[in-house]
Amino acid sequence: MLLLRSSGQLRPAIIAIASAVCLIGCGRPVPPGKVRMQGVVHYDGQPLRTSAGMITFFAAQGTNSNTAKIQPDGLFTVDLEPGDYRVGVEATDGYDRLAEKALKPIKAKSLIPETYANPTKSGLTITAVANAKPVTIALEQNR
């Protein structure tokens, strides 16, 4: 048993040990019945760089769906039920907002062809399986 002394001599060591344990074992657990899928979205062969990107997964069979934020370096992580999914990708230069002076809506500009946003038209698919290697979702400008 480890005791804290009021002088605080052991406190830094305990904090360091607790931090190390948390870094090793405090990752978000995979929910029961799901598998963790990780990957990267590429656009014309390069990681998709966006601060406002979302990837959507719709089950090919049934009604299961899920979304994941695309990180600024193109990476994503999502927990899915095993199976086949149609994929939709959205990436913009920011978020819709109002102009400061005129209060007119300013729509965010899509960074990729908008066809990719619709999972039934994007042509993108993924199969979620346990222990899958990271996947690459490849998008092309001339689509």
Side-chain angles (χ1 to χ4, degrees):
M1 175 186 254
L2 198 56
L3 299 174
L4 289 177
R5 294 184 186 168
S6 59
S7 66
Q9 292 174 351
L10 290 178
R11 187 166 287 158
I14 293 171
I15 291 172
I17 292 168
S19 296
V21 168
C22 192
L23 285 174
I24 294 169
C26 290
R28 185 182 83 210
V30 178
K34 298 207 175 185
V35 296
R36 179 151 299 150
M37 299 295 295
Q38 297 177 320
V40 63
V41 179
H42 277 189
Y43 183 56
D44 284 340
Q46 299 295 318
L48 178 61
R49 305 232 181 259
T50 179
S51 61
M54 186 69 61
I55 185 165
T56 306
F57 303 87
F58 287 94
Q61 302 293 319
T63 59
N64 184 29
S65 68
N66 206 340
T67 60
K69 180 174 178 13
I70 300 171
Q71 301 302 314
D73 56 3
L75 297 174
F76 69 89
T77 301
V78 65
D79 296 332
L80 300 169
E81 291 178 8
D84 295 324
Y85 289 81
R86 294 171 298 184
V87 179
V89 179
E90 296 179 68
T92 60
D93 62 354
Y95 298 96
D96 293 347
R97 59 196 183 281
L98 291 177
E100 290 181 25
K101 294 184 180 184
L103 295 179
K104 292 183 180 179
I106 299 173
K107 184 159 174 53
K109 179 184 170 198
S110 182
L111 300 175
I112 60 175
E114 292 187 20
T115 317
Y116 286 118
N118 185 336
T120 60
K121 295 181 181 178
S122 70
L124 303 171
T125 60
I126 188 174
T127 300
V129 295
N131 302 316
K133 292 182 180 180
V135 297
T136 298
I137 305 292
L139 312 178
E140 297 175 358
Q141 182 176 7
N142 297 324
R143 172 100 204 282

